[in-house]
């Protein structure tokens, strides 16, 4: 089973700053099988990035994804107040077919 | 716009059973694989189960294997999760989630299951 480890656990930044969130896999992951989600309190998760670097429909271009192999990154270029949330990476595999990282909480400094 | 609406959550005693439903609209359920994903209070996301569009392929997380059963009725555009032998650690919000080419592109609003005596 591939384990996804996200870091940091909590990231404290101010609006306008750049956020860099990391997702490290215990084994190599196909880039096409790596996605990122945003979750705000009381809401369902929302797809942000799929295929490691493709923005989902309606996602602002300040969100970008990169990486390959075992190291993937979600970058938010200039934080807006609505970006403060919890972010999860997720990969599709074989057993189990889906697993998530433990999440990174992005909070206002 | 794609809509997924879960129902059937509630309070149940340990060892009890519950059946969750997910009603899909604005798309043909039978053309998509579907998942159940849960989130315990204050915790992260945990994938629970997957069923292919035809229902011919099914997977379960080890934590629910043998206790939960996923099914679908494409004629009714509905997805189900039968949960038996429930434990306190099954307490969570359960999300119905649409599978689309290696990503989950749509989520329901979730239904809360509380297992407690």
């Amino acid at each position: 089973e591939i384990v996804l480890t996200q870091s940091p656990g909590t990231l404290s930044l101010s609006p306008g700053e750049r956020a860099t969130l990391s997702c490290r896999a215990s084994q190599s992951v196909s880039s096409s099988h790596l996605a990122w989600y945003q979750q705000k309190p009381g809401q369902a998760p929302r797809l942000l990035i799929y295929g490691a670097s493709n923005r989902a429909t309606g996602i602002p271009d300040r969100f970008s994804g990169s990486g390959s192999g075992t190291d993937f990154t979600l970058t938010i270029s200039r934080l807006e107040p609505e970006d403060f949330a919890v972010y999860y990476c997720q990969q599709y595999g074989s057993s189990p077919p889906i697993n998530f990282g433990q999440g990174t909480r992005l909070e206002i400094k | 716009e794609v809509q997924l609406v879960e129902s059937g959550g509630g309070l149940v005693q340990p060892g009890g059973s519950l059946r969750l439903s997910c009603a899909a609209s604005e798309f043909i359920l039978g053309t998509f694989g579907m998942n159940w994903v849960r989130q315990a209070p204050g915790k992260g996301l945990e994938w629970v189960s997957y069923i292919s569009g035809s229902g011919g392929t099914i997977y379960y997380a080890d934590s629910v294997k043998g206790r939960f059963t996923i099914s679908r009725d494409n004629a009714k555009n509905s997805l189900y999760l039968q949960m038996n032998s429930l434990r306190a650690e099954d307490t969570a919000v359960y999300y119905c989630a649409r599978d689309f080419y290696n990503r989950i592109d749509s989520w329901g609003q979730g239904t809360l299951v509380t297992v407690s005596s």
Side-chain angles (χ1 to χ4, degrees), chain A residues 1 7-9 11 18-19 30 50 67-68 74-75 94 96 108:
Chain A
E1 176 182 343
S7 61
L11 185 57
R18 180 184 186 91
S30 169
Y50 65 93
S68 64
L74 174 69
T75 301
S94 56
I108 299 177

Side-chain angles (χ1 to χ4, degrees), chain A residues 33 37 39 44-45 50 92 98, chain B residues 35 39 99 102-104 107-108:
Chain A
H33 292 180
Y37 300 84
Q39 188 179 33
Y50 65 93
Y92 271 74
I98 293 176
Chain B
N35 297 279
Q39 187 169 36
D99 211 81
N102 299 322
R103 58 195 184 263
I104 294 176
W107 301 71

